[in-house]
Amino acid sequence: MGKDEILELKDKIDFQNLPKHIAIIMDGNGRWAKDRSLPRTSGHQEGMKRVVDIVEATNNLGVEYLSLYAFSTENWKRPKKEIDALMKILVFYIRNELDKIHKNNIKIKIMGDISLLPKVPRKEVEKAIEKTKNNSKMVLNIGLNYGSRDEIIRSIKNILEDVNLGKIDKDDINVELFSKYLYTKDIPDPDLLIRPSGELRLSNFMLYQIAYTELWFSDIYWPDFKEEYLYKAILDYQKRNRRFGGI
Ligand code: IPE
Ligand code: IPE
Ligand code: MG
């Protein structure tokens, strides 16, 4: 798609009806690489470039929250070589992009247990959170060692602990309170969930939060996910009629 066509697409977006929170399951890096007879890690490297592009595009649109699924609790099943490469790419991304992210007033948040990450990526991530903690234009919420089931069980344990401590009463537990115990406690539920790569599943991503999220699937592999697909997803979203169970 040419530059003019992309701008035309962008112009069609209704800024009064922008999704406040977009979540993306960044998938298809390995298959993108395989199609080119490249190692899977090349797909991850190219995928990282799309993270740069999409963070910039969403921030420019004025989207307030962007959640990106980068590494799941199940991704530890992959060969060590691939996990190491993914961690290196994460470190490279933060080292290269942190100044720009900070300058663009983006706040980095993490969902997932980062205490289980190797030391170097963990330190980089902690540095990024600390540096950007007072930023206010967009929240970039990254899923790292994130899994919904893990998150929900962790929340239940924390709720039980607070009940035992007398901080809350069992009868206080409701949908709102439960949300406050999730990693996303300060973040509204996603309005739009994007999954590229052709897979029609959620792979343990934000299961509690996406109860009423609009889903958008595409066959495009993540390394090919240029900004025009973001605009297409938003335009489709704007045609949807969200009823939340009403009429
Ligand atoms: C997404 O791409 C990146 C991560 C899950 C870390 P994949 O590596 O899952 O690529 P495919 O799905 O095998 O093509
Ligand atoms: C989901 O992709 C996880 C991330 C994008 C980080 P996967 O490639 O791990 O999911 P499955 O295995 O296809 O369900
Ligand atoms: Mg995959």
Side-chain angles (χ1 to χ4, degrees):
M1 200 176 241
K3 258 204 153 77
D4 290 347
E5 279 169 293
I6 296 174
L7 279 178
E8 229 169 84
L9 212 55
K10 195 176 168 183
D11 276 346
K12 287 192 189 136
I13 292 173
D14 172 6
F15 284 87
Q16 303 306 313
N17 182 25
L18 208 57
K20 202 173 171 157
H21 182 179
I22 297 177
I24 307 180
I25 301 173
M26 307 185 289
D27 194 24
N29 295 353
R31 280 163 285 167
W32 180 91
K34 190 164 183 250
D35 280 358
R36 287 158 182 79
S37 308
L38 295 168
R40 291 178 56 87
T41 44
S42 302
H44 296 315
Q45 273 160 1
E46 193 63 26
M48 192 206 69
K49 296 183 193 162
R50 295 299 86 72
V51 174
V52 175
D53 298 343
I54 295 302
V55 167
E56 190 174 324
T58 41
N59 190 44
N60 286 343
L61 286 175
V63 171
E64 290 174 55
Y65 301 88
L66 174 65
S67 290
L68 298 179
Y69 203 5
F71 193 89
S72 76
T73 45
E74 286 74 34
N75 287 147
W76 298 108
K77 288 179 196 160
R78 296 186 180 203
K80 184 175 181 303
K81 234 178 79 184
E82 179 165 341
I83 295 172
D84 289 347
L86 282 164
M87 294 298 156
K88 269 199 183 140
I89 290 169
L90 171 68
V91 170
F92 182 86
Y93 172 76
I94 297 175
R95 288 191 180 152
N96 268 287
E97 292 297 309
L98 187 56
D99 283 344
K100 194 172 90 195
I101 286 173
H102 186 51
K103 207 179 76 212
N104 288 335
N105 201 9
I106 296 169
K107 186 200 285 207
I108 293 184
K109 286 197 162 224
I110 300 292
M111 47 179 189
D113 183 0
I114 55 165
S115 73
L116 297 176
L117 295 189
K119 192 172 166 195
V120 176
R122 182 164 40 84
K123 292 280 170 213
E124 285 300 321
V125 165
E126 284 166 356
K127 204 168 78 189
I129 296 170
E130 178 59 28
K131 185 175 168 111
T132 62
K133 68 176 182 203
N134 294 320
N135 291 348
S136 58
K137 180 152 191 279
M138 183 176 86
V139 170
L140 172 57
N141 176 44
I142 306 172
L144 272 179
N145 187 25
Y146 173 82
S148 263
R149 289 177 168 182
D150 202 62
E151 177 185 39
I152 289 168
I153 287 166
R154 176 184 170 271
S155 307
I156 291 171
K157 286 182 178 167
N158 288 335
I159 289 173
L160 278 176
E161 199 177 294
D162 283 354
V163 170
N164 287 338
L165 288 170
K167 285 195 197 165
I168 52 168
D169 191 79
K170 180 171 145 266
D171 295 330
D172 295 334
I173 303 172
N174 58 24
V175 170
E176 279 72 39
L177 182 122
F178 199 86
S179 303
K180 295 273 173 279
Y181 282 80
L182 297 169
Y183 286 119
T184 48
K185 59 177 181 299
D186 306 316
I187 300 179
D189 291 340
D191 300 294
L192 171 62
L193 172 78
I194 296 173
R195 180 165 193 161
S197 94
E199 307 298 359
L200 305 178
R201 57 174 171 256
L202 300 169
S203 304
N204 205 8
F205 190 54
M206 301 186 92
L207 301 181
Y208 189 87
Q209 295 90 336
I210 60 168
Y212 276 102
T213 299
E214 296 298 326
L215 310 180
W216 195 83
F217 295 98
S218 153
D219 288 341
I220 298 290
Y221 293 144
W222 176 250
D224 285 326
F225 201 90
K226 302 276 166 63
E227 59 179 315
E228 65 225 55
Y229 297 102
L230 174 73
Y231 303 149
K232 280 182 188 170
I234 293 174
L235 288 167
D236 280 349
Y237 164 85
Q238 293 185 331
K239 288 186 203 129
R240 308 259 181 106
N241 179 6
R242 303 183 76 188
R243 286 185 290 278
F244 300 96
I247 53 170

mmCIF file of all heavy atoms in Angstrom, residues 43-70:
data_model
loop_
_atom_site.group_PDB
_atom_site.id
_atom_site.type_symbol
_atom_site.label_atom_id
_atom_site.label_comp_id
_atom_site.label_asym_id
_atom_site.label_seq_id
_atom_site.Cartn_x
_atom_site.Cartn_y
_atom_site.Cartn_z
ATOM 1 N N GLY A 43 12.657 -13.606 12.342
ATOM 2 C CA GLY A 43 11.257 -13.191 12.428
ATOM 3 C C GLY A 43 11.020 -12.356 13.675
ATOM 4 O O GLY A 43 10.299 -11.353 13.645
ATOM 5 N N HIS A 44 11.648 -12.742 14.769
ATOM 6 C CA HIS A 44 11.485 -11.972 16.008
ATOM 7 C C HIS A 44 12.119 -10.583 15.869
ATOM 8 O O HIS A 44 11.587 -9.591 16.356
ATOM 9 C CB HIS A 44 12.097 -12.726 17.192
ATOM 10 C CG HIS A 44 11.421 -14.031 17.486
ATOM 11 N ND1 HIS A 44 10.057 -14.163 17.518
ATOM 12 C CD2 HIS A 44 11.910 -15.263 17.749
ATOM 13 C CE1 HIS A 44 9.731 -15.421 17.799
ATOM 14 N NE2 HIS A 44 10.854 -16.119 17.930
ATOM 15 N N GLN A 45 13.278 -10.547 15.187
ATOM 16 C CA GLN A 45 13.938 -9.242 14.991
ATOM 17 C C GLN A 45 13.072 -8.312 14.143
ATOM 18 O O GLN A 45 12.908 -7.136 14.458
ATOM 19 C CB GLN A 45 15.300 -9.441 14.320
ATOM 20 C CG GLN A 45 16.396 -9.710 15.339
ATOM 21 C CD GLN A 45 17.617 -10.374 14.719
ATOM 22 O OE1 GLN A 45 17.664 -10.623 13.520
ATOM 23 N NE2 GLN A 45 18.597 -10.668 15.547
ATOM 24 N N GLU A 46 12.518 -8.864 13.066
ATOM 25 C CA GLU A 46 11.655 -8.055 12.209
ATOM 26 C C GLU A 46 10.388 -7.662 12.980
ATOM 27 O O GLU A 46 9.897 -6.535 12.848
ATOM 28 C CB GLU A 46 11.318 -8.848 10.935
ATOM 29 C CG GLU A 46 10.691 -8.044 9.820
ATOM 30 C CD GLU A 46 11.573 -6.931 9.261
ATOM 31 O OE1 GLU A 46 12.816 -7.027 9.343
ATOM 32 O OE2 GLU A 46 11.000 -5.952 8.742
ATOM 33 N N GLY A 47 9.893 -8.570 13.796
ATOM 34 C CA GLY A 47 8.714 -8.292 14.612
ATOM 35 C C GLY A 47 8.956 -7.129 15.564
ATOM 36 O O GLY A 47 8.066 -6.321 15.813
ATOM 37 N N MET A 48 10.161 -7.051 16.078
ATOM 38 C CA MET A 48 10.496 -5.943 16.979
ATOM 39 C C MET A 48 10.375 -4.588 16.266
ATOM 40 O O MET A 48 9.936 -3.606 16.858
ATOM 41 C CB MET A 48 11.911 -6.130 17.525
ATOM 42 C CG MET A 48 12.218 -5.203 18.663
ATOM 43 S SD MET A 48 13.973 -4.911 18.770
ATOM 44 C CE MET A 48 14.245 -3.953 17.309
ATOM 45 N N LYS A 49 10.733 -4.577 14.990
ATOM 46 C CA LYS A 49 10.598 -3.321 14.231
ATOM 47 C C LYS A 49 9.128 -2.902 14.129
ATOM 48 O O LYS A 49 8.810 -1.717 14.153
ATOM 49 C CB LYS A 49 11.192 -3.473 12.827
ATOM 50 C CG LYS A 49 12.697 -3.722 12.842
ATOM 51 C CD LYS A 49 13.212 -3.794 11.420
ATOM 52 C CE LYS A 49 14.626 -4.361 11.388
ATOM 53 N NZ LYS A 49 14.990 -4.839 10.041
ATOM 54 N N ARG A 50 8.259 -3.893 14.031
ATOM 55 C CA ARG A 50 6.824 -3.557 13.974
ATOM 56 C C ARG A 50 6.338 -3.034 15.325
ATOM 57 O O ARG A 50 5.430 -2.214 15.382
ATOM 58 C CB ARG A 50 5.986 -4.771 13.551
ATOM 59 C CG ARG A 50 6.222 -5.292 12.155
ATOM 60 C CD ARG A 50 5.909 -4.293 11.058
ATOM 61 N NE ARG A 50 7.016 -3.395 10.747
ATOM 62 C CZ ARG A 50 8.142 -3.748 10.102
ATOM 63 N NH1 ARG A 50 8.314 -4.979 9.699
ATOM 64 N NH2 ARG A 50 9.082 -2.865 9.863
ATOM 65 N N VAL A 51 6.957 -3.497 16.401
ATOM 66 C CA VAL A 51 6.601 -2.947 17.718
ATOM 67 C C VAL A 51 6.913 -1.449 17.713
ATOM 68 O O VAL A 51 6.081 -0.625 18.113
ATOM 69 C CB VAL A 51 7.367 -3.665 18.863
ATOM 70 C CG1 VAL A 51 7.102 -2.975 20.198
ATOM 71 C CG2 VAL A 51 6.962 -5.131 18.935
ATOM 72 N N VAL A 52 8.090 -1.107 17.205
ATOM 73 C CA VAL A 52 8.471 0.309 17.136
ATOM 74 C C VAL A 52 7.426 1.090 16.331
ATOM 75 O O VAL A 52 6.923 2.132 16.771
ATOM 76 C CB VAL A 52 9.885 0.467 16.494
ATOM 77 C CG1 VAL A 52 10.241 1.937 16.315
ATOM 78 C CG2 VAL A 52 10.942 -0.253 17.335
ATOM 79 N N ASP A 53 7.091 0.572 15.134
ATOM 80 C CA ASP A 53 6.130 1.269 14.254
ATOM 81 C C ASP A 53 4.757 1.413 14.899
ATOM 82 O O ASP A 53 4.131 2.475 14.838
ATOM 83 C CB ASP A 53 5.902 0.463 12.952
ATOM 84 C CG ASP A 53 7.175 0.301 12.139
ATOM 85 O OD1 ASP A 53 8.138 1.045 12.390
ATOM 86 O OD2 ASP A 53 7.198 -0.590 11.262
ATOM 87 N N ILE A 54 4.271 0.320 15.501
ATOM 88 C CA ILE A 54 2.889 0.319 15.997
ATOM 89 C C ILE A 54 2.769 1.160 17.273
ATOM 90 O O ILE A 54 1.758 1.833 17.487
ATOM 91 C CB ILE A 54 2.369 -1.137 16.180
ATOM 92 C CG1 ILE A 54 2.291 -1.850 14.813
ATOM 93 C CG2 ILE A 54 1.024 -1.172 16.888
ATOM 94 C CD1 ILE A 54 1.405 -1.197 13.745
ATOM 95 N N VAL A 55 3.811 1.149 18.091
ATOM 96 C CA VAL A 55 3.795 2.022 19.282
ATOM 97 C C VAL A 55 3.710 3.476 18.825
ATOM 98 O O VAL A 55 2.909 4.265 19.353
ATOM 99 C CB VAL A 55 5.047 1.784 20.162
ATOM 100 C CG1 VAL A 55 5.210 2.883 21.205
ATOM 101 C CG2 VAL A 55 4.970 0.419 20.849
ATOM 102 N N GLU A 56 4.489 3.817 17.829
ATOM 103 C CA GLU A 56 4.477 5.194 17.333
ATOM 104 C C GLU A 56 3.117 5.553 16.725
ATOM 105 O O GLU A 56 2.550 6.612 17.011
ATOM 106 C CB GLU A 56 5.590 5.360 16.294
ATOM 107 C CG GLU A 56 5.805 6.812 15.895
ATOM 108 C CD GLU A 56 7.009 6.982 14.962
ATOM 109 O OE1 GLU A 56 8.008 6.252 15.144
ATOM 110 O OE2 GLU A 56 6.919 7.821 14.069
ATOM 111 N N ALA A 57 2.581 4.635 15.907
ATOM 112 C CA ALA A 57 1.305 4.910 15.239
ATOM 113 C C ALA A 57 0.151 5.046 16.238
ATOM 114 O O ALA A 57 -0.667 5.970 16.121
ATOM 115 C CB ALA A 57 1.000 3.807 14.227
ATOM 116 N N THR A 58 0.096 4.174 17.234
ATOM 117 C CA THR A 58 -1.003 4.250 18.205
ATOM 118 C C THR A 58 -0.873 5.520 19.043
ATOM 119 O O THR A 58 -1.865 6.202 19.320
ATOM 120 C CB THR A 58 -1.031 3.034 19.167
ATOM 121 O OG1 THR A 58 0.292 2.708 19.551
ATOM 122 C CG2 THR A 58 -1.669 1.837 18.542
ATOM 123 N N ASN A 59 0.365 5.836 19.398
ATOM 124 C CA ASN A 59 0.586 7.042 20.203
ATOM 125 C C ASN A 59 0.189 8.287 19.407
ATOM 126 O O ASN A 59 -0.443 9.202 19.932
ATOM 127 C CB ASN A 59 2.055 7.108 20.631
ATOM 128 C CG ASN A 59 2.306 8.184 21.665
ATOM 129 O OD1 ASN A 59 1.543 8.339 22.607
ATOM 130 N ND2 ASN A 59 3.369 8.940 21.480
ATOM 131 N N ASN A 60 0.528 8.304 18.116
ATOM 132 C CA ASN A 60 0.170 9.452 17.274
ATOM 133 C C ASN A 60 -1.340 9.597 17.113
ATOM 134 O O ASN A 60 -1.854 10.716 17.037
ATOM 135 C CB ASN A 60 0.803 9.324 15.888
ATOM 136 C CG ASN A 60 2.292 9.618 15.935
ATOM 137 O OD1 ASN A 60 2.778 10.217 16.906
ATOM 138 N ND2 ASN A 60 3.024 9.186 14.922
ATOM 139 N N LEU A 61 -2.045 8.467 17.085
ATOM 140 C CA LEU A 61 -3.499 8.534 16.942
ATOM 141 C C LEU A 61 -4.158 9.105 18.193
ATOM 142 O O LEU A 61 -5.232 9.669 18.133
ATOM 143 C CB LEU A 61 -4.074 7.140 16.685
ATOM 144 C CG LEU A 61 -3.876 6.509 15.316
ATOM 145 C CD1 LEU A 61 -4.411 5.090 15.327
ATOM 146 C CD2 LEU A 61 -4.558 7.331 14.224
ATOM 147 N N GLY A 62 -3.507 8.888 19.341
ATOM 148 C CA GLY A 62 -4.107 9.328 20.589
ATOM 149 C C GLY A 62 -4.768 8.194 21.358
ATOM 150 O O GLY A 62 -5.581 8.427 22.258
ATOM 151 N N VAL A 63 -4.419 6.953 21.000
ATOM 152 C CA VAL A 63 -4.896 5.800 21.770
ATOM 153 C C VAL A 63 -4.248 5.894 23.154
ATOM 154 O O VAL A 63 -3.072 6.229 23.263
ATOM 155 C CB VAL A 63 -4.489 4.480 21.057
ATOM 156 C CG1 VAL A 63 -4.765 3.267 21.922
ATOM 157 C CG2 VAL A 63 -5.197 4.378 19.700
ATOM 158 N N GLU A 64 -5.023 5.617 24.205
ATOM 159 C CA GLU A 64 -4.479 5.847 25.557
ATOM 160 C C GLU A 64 -3.741 4.656 26.145
ATOM 161 O O GLU A 64 -2.857 4.819 26.980
ATOM 162 C CB GLU A 64 -5.611 6.254 26.503
ATOM 163 C CG GLU A 64 -6.138 7.655 26.199
ATOM 164 C CD GLU A 64 -7.348 7.970 27.059
ATOM 165 O OE1 GLU A 64 -7.248 7.874 28.295
ATOM 166 O OE2 GLU A 64 -8.402 8.300 26.475
ATOM 167 N N TYR A 65 -4.136 3.445 25.724
ATOM 168 C CA TYR A 65 -3.504 2.235 26.264
ATOM 169 C C TYR A 65 -3.228 1.259 25.120
ATOM 170 O O TYR A 65 -4.117 0.988 24.308
ATOM 171 C CB TYR A 65 -4.420 1.540 27.285
ATOM 172 C CG TYR A 65 -4.795 2.413 28.455
ATOM 173 C CD1 TYR A 65 -5.913 3.249 28.387
ATOM 174 C CD2 TYR A 65 -4.041 2.408 29.626
ATOM 175 C CE1 TYR A 65 -6.256 4.066 29.454
ATOM 176 C CE2 TYR A 65 -4.384 3.210 30.699
ATOM 177 C CZ TYR A 65 -5.495 4.044 30.607
ATOM 178 O OH TYR A 65 -5.839 4.842 31.666
ATOM 179 N N LEU A 66 -2.019 0.744 25.100
ATOM 180 C CA LEU A 66 -1.659 -0.287 24.124
ATOM 181 C C LEU A 66 -1.056 -1.462 24.889
ATOM 182 O O LEU A 66 -0.041 -1.311 25.578
ATOM 183 C CB LEU A 66 -0.632 0.253 23.116
ATOM 184 C CG LEU A 66 -0.070 -0.766 22.122
ATOM 185 C CD1 LEU A 66 -1.162 -1.285 21.177
ATOM 186 C CD2 LEU A 66 1.077 -0.156 21.298
ATOM 187 N N SER A 67 -1.716 -2.629 24.797
ATOM 188 C CA SER A 67 -1.172 -3.819 25.442
ATOM 189 C C SER A 67 -0.587 -4.744 24.388
ATOM 190 O O SER A 67 -1.255 -5.058 23.400
ATOM 191 C CB SER A 67 -2.266 -4.581 26.209
ATOM 192 O OG SER A 67 -2.667 -3.839 27.334
ATOM 193 N N LEU A 68 0.639 -5.169 24.580
ATOM 194 C CA LEU A 68 1.309 -6.048 23.625
ATOM 195 C C LEU A 68 1.722 -7.346 24.309
ATOM 196 O O LEU A 68 2.377 -7.313 25.357
ATOM 197 C CB LEU A 68 2.566 -5.360 23.059
ATOM 198 C CG LEU A 68 2.370 -4.068 22.275
ATOM 199 C CD1 LEU A 68 3.730 -3.527 21.822
ATOM 200 C CD2 LEU A 68 1.465 -4.297 21.060
ATOM 201 N N TYR A 69 1.332 -8.457 23.702
ATOM 202 C CA TYR A 69 1.698 -9.782 24.254
ATOM 203 C C TYR A 69 3.063 -10.138 23.667
ATOM 204 O O TYR A 69 3.183 -10.421 22.482
ATOM 205 C CB TYR A 69 0.646 -10.792 23.811
ATOM 206 C CG TYR A 69 0.489 -12.033 24.638
ATOM 207 C CD1 TYR A 69 1.174 -12.243 25.824
ATOM 208 C CD2 TYR A 69 -0.406 -13.029 24.224
ATOM 209 C CE1 TYR A 69 0.976 -13.408 26.572
ATOM 210 C CE2 TYR A 69 -0.606 -14.190 24.968
ATOM 211 C CZ TYR A 69 0.091 -14.375 26.139
ATOM 212 O OH TYR A 69 -0.110 -15.513 26.871
ATOM 213 N N ALA A 70 4.082 -10.122 24.490
ATOM 214 C CA ALA A 70 5.445 -10.341 23.993
ATOM 215 C C ALA A 70 5.974 -11.724 24.338
ATOM 216 O O ALA A 70 6.725 -12.322 23.561
ATOM 217 C CB ALA A 70 6.377 -9.278 24.556
#
